[in-house]
Amino acid sequence: SSWWSHVEMGPPDPILGVTEAFKRDTNSKKMNLGVGAYRDDNGKPYVLNCVRKAEAVIASKKMDKEYLPIGGLADFTRASAELALGENSEAFKSGRYVTVQGISGTGSLRIGANFLQRFFKSSRDVYLPKPSWGNHTPIFRDAGLQLQAYRYYDPKTCSLDFSGAMDDISKIPEKSIILLHACAHNPTGVDPRQEQWKEMAAMVKKRNLLVYFDMAYQGFASGDINRDAWAVRYFIEQGINVILSQSYAKNMGLYGERAGAFTVICSDAEEAKRVESQLKILIRPMYSNPPLNGARIASIILNTPDLRKEWLVEVKSMADRIISMRTQLVSNLKKEGSSHNWQHITDQIGMFCFTGLKPEQVERLIKEFSIYMTKDGRISVAGVTSGNVGYLAHAIHQVTK
Amino acid sequence: MAASIFTAVPRAPPVAVFKLTADFREDGDARKVNLGVGAYRTDEGQPWVLPVVKKVEQMIANNNSLNHEYLPILGLPEFRANASRIALGDDSPAIKENRIGSVQSLGGTGALRIGAEFLRRWYNGNNNTATPVYISAPSWENHNSVFVDAGFKDIRTYHYWDAAKRGLDLQGLLDDMEKAPEFSIFILHACAHNPTGTDPTPDQWKQIAAVMKRRFLFPFFDSAYQGFASGSLDKDAWAVRYFVSEGFELFCAQSFSKNFGLYNERVGNLTVVGKDADNVQRVLSQMEKIVRTTWSNPPSQGARIVATTLSSPQLFAEWYDNVKTMADRVLLMRSELRSRLESLGTPGTWNHITEQIGMFSFTGLNPKQVEYMIKEKHIYLMASGRINMCGLTTKNLDYVAKSIHEAVTKIQ
């Protein structure tokens, strides 16, 4: 008999399941709107030009393959901090922060979660917005923390339930941990406006909460890296010492290279050194030290003025294409004669859109039109092209009229 | 302003082996030698990117059809299959019977961690925090941390290194296995034991396997030096394959850091051998969940290099040749160091230098002697007396041998 007879089959990943079914479908009109990766207007993966250029630089330099330090590539972590905080940030200039390289967004979130479990003794509770990225919950749980929620998305309006959020946040026990999506909320695409962020900052300060920002889409949301980092920077300016996870999967298209960073804003540089030493103690028994390739590509881009300029243009063009698909989807729905209010599609931002479609309607889209999305009605706008937006609008109209 | 939540965070001590290299770097003495961290060096004392790796990287760079999309959670399929095949052998019965699984991981460390996290959740019932985990005395110091952080509360050592006779304490090891609670987990070094360089002989492995089978002990192999130890992939995998042929279910954490020189790309693989395909499938499904909350999916660059190399007969042959180059240089340095110490008449016996295998050698130097080596001779080695043979070159052999001689004769 086997040691593993009692091991249960793990549940299938809901999002991967969508892609599996899509692959099996033979309909030539099929659309995969589950995928959380950018596609160009031909529906193809897009390797950024600045990435290709950075790779050419790397190839020409013939570098060795020696281990990185546990905390990662220094040029990368410094540039990452500067990108998030802004070059004029007092926290950045004073050095009262530590940034370590992480395995993209997930790995960075996990380092932070483990760090909190070990050193944040005030609370075991992490408050997530309702809904949040599906993987947030198991990440924090596996790290040994507990999950709570605050109201966020209003399904009636397909937008932010601001009063609900403020009400819930006002009741969070002091010194709990609250997770905020810096921009392009996943899965809803619903972000607070700047005045709303200001009120939220005042509230979390009043409740003395530890703020954990997840920023996976800087630049990718509005097309402007400073605008997308506004909330993070504002909170820090208000004296809130946040912790932050960054990903370069989407904004640099470095998905499989796993480039990311985890940052802790500290009281001073001395505290930052102590925190850094403990982060290394956490990282070493996980994977010893991080992979170089993605971080080096990102570092060369961020630290080479010409390549950085080119990157900003490219990330804006990705964001613009997404925004234009949103606009076209809404106008096509109007053309189809839909009487519903689809404004939320253009109000929402980033890769994802919470359409408001119900499970039965999603089922019909899959079965009758071969349009694949997750049951919650979330679509990846990245999967929409000028070639198929008309078909999508037609199908949505058919199941909602 | 409220006091920081991190006010009480203490400064952690630096990881010893990296501190050693940091100190080495700062040392201005021209004679300095770094015999610390475990990475291969050429006879010029330089890192070595394998020629086959350079070639394959160029192929990858020139291939415009490749992109940077996410790999599946368990990793690149061609990498996983080839990596496990390397460990288990082309004609492995387990592969033929379709009862193996693989998880691409972030280096050997990542493979160990995924395996440890899985065992803590699913081995022998659903909560294994109290299941004893046995690690050799001594072992790679990170083994302990991996299993502690994975949630195991009862971590023990098993006898391994006999300091008096400078060899394997087989009887002590077997005794520990006899006394271990049934179902305990044992971390075994597949070859080139780190830090001692002392491996069981095939006959001794057979004895170890017999006890483990009788007492239902779980074998978790750490294989970081396959090919690098003897120059032969098959020879270095003998122990793992023997256990498989004896019908064991086991884990094998593989690293391609040393044998491919891909240190910073973090290329590793966790090979799972089970009783049948169904069991392995369920195990992988649960490992997938663990991976998803740790790093989501693994980095693609290193896996592509290894997969491309292993699946091409020509590139595989070139790689094998590169590996043999490294293994042969290490063997040469061993014999050269030993002969110098014997010529100098350095007190003690030095045959262990050539009898040990792999990157490391447990010289037998005590902490005071080690301190002398570092402070007076600017030769950096671990406090345990462990040296990295790769740090030796034809240029520094004489100086190192003389320094060891001095340390042994001057310091007790």
Side-chain angles (χ1 to χ4, degrees), chain B residues 238-253:
Chain B
W238 188 88
V240 178
R241 297 176 189 183
Y242 176 73
F243 272 66
V244 172
S245 72
E246 285 293 298
F248 280 90
E249 292 184 299
L250 55 82
F251 287 174
C252 180

Side-chain angles (χ1 to χ4, degrees), chain B residues 9 23 39 55 150 162 166 177 194-195 259 265 270 281 302 370:
Chain B
V9 172
D23 291 345
K55 192 188 229 183
D162 185 332
R166 288 197 192 150
M177 286 185 168
N194 176 2
N259 60 15
E265 302 288 6
L270 178 67
Q281 215 195 356
V370 169

Side-chain angles (χ1 to χ4, degrees), chain A residues 110 313 360:
Chain A
R110 182 58 182 269
V313 169
E360 323 84 71

Side-chain angles (χ1 to χ4, degrees), chain A residues 67-314:
Chain A
Y67 287 123
L68 278 179
I70 299 173
L73 186 67
D75 283 346
F76 168 73
T77 53
R78 195 189 24 80
S80 235
E82 190 201 44
L83 179 69
L85 307 180
E87 56 181 350
N88 293 319
S89 151
E90 166 273 325
F92 178 72
K93 290 200 285 205
S94 69
R96 63 178 185 94
Y97 72 92
V98 52
T99 300
V100 292
Q101 185 180 335
I103 313 299
S104 207
T106 301
S108 303
L109 280 163
R110 182 58 182 269
I111 290 169
N114 283 1
F115 178 74
L116 291 173
Q117 191 280 333
R118 195 171 278 188
F119 291 103
F120 190 70
K121 293 308 180 190
S122 319
S123 173
R124 302 284 77 177
D125 287 327
V126 179
Y127 283 77
L128 300 180
K130 218 186 313 185
S132 195
W133 181 44
N135 207 20
H136 277 145
T137 294
I139 288 171
F140 286 105
R141 188 168 289 146
D142 276 10
L145 298 169
Q146 281 153 205
L147 281 311
Q148 309 291 347
Y150 56 93
R151 275 173 286 169
Y152 191 80
Y153 179 72
D154 185 345
K156 289 196 236 54
T157 60
C158 295
S159 65
L160 180 63
D161 176 4
F162 185 62
S163 59
M166 288 301 285
D167 189 33
D168 283 353
I169 295 173
S170 73
K171 298 194 180 99
I172 295 179
E174 292 204 15
K175 297 192 187 170
S176 302
I177 302 155
I178 182 169
L179 183 126
L180 301 168
H181 297 225
C183 63
H185 181 272
N186 179 0
T188 69
V190 169
D191 285 350
R193 293 189 305 275
Q194 285 185 3
E195 319 90 71
Q196 294 170 322
W197 273 125
K198 286 180 178 174
E199 285 191 54
M200 287 171 74
M203 180 60 77
V204 307
K205 218 174 157 182
K206 190 159 157 220
R207 302 300 303 152
N208 197 10
L209 305 177
L210 174 68
V211 175
Y212 197 161
F213 268 110
D214 181 355
M215 184 154 69
Y217 298 98
Q218 188 184 4
F220 194 92
S222 70
D224 179 334
I225 48 157
N226 294 311
R227 191 155 155 208
D228 289 347
W230 186 87
V232 173
R233 297 175 186 181
Y234 178 78
F235 272 56
I236 295 171
E237 277 160 30
Q238 296 308 302
I240 303 167
N241 287 352
V242 308
I243 66 179
L244 164 73
S245 155
Q246 291 168 272
S247 167
Y248 292 88
K250 283 84 171 172
N251 61 10
M252 283 194 183
L254 290 175
Y255 306 92
E257 303 295 340
R258 320 310 292 130
F262 173 69
T263 296
V264 180
I265 305 296
C266 300
S267 311
D268 52 50
E270 187 274 335
E271 180 179 285
K273 279 268 162 267
R274 281 184 283 115
V275 170
E276 181 183 26
S277 71
Q278 295 295 348
L279 291 174
K280 288 182 190 174
I281 299 283
L282 276 168
I283 291 169
R284 172 90 166 137
M286 271 204 279
Y287 51 83
S288 273
N289 41 74
L292 174 64
N293 201 43
R296 188 135 67 186
I297 293 170
S299 175
I300 288 174
I301 291 171
L302 293 173
N303 290 309
T304 310
D306 282 350
L307 288 181
R308 191 184 177 111
K309 278 203 199 84
E310 192 168 351
W311 172 56
L312 293 176
V313 169
E314 286 191 280

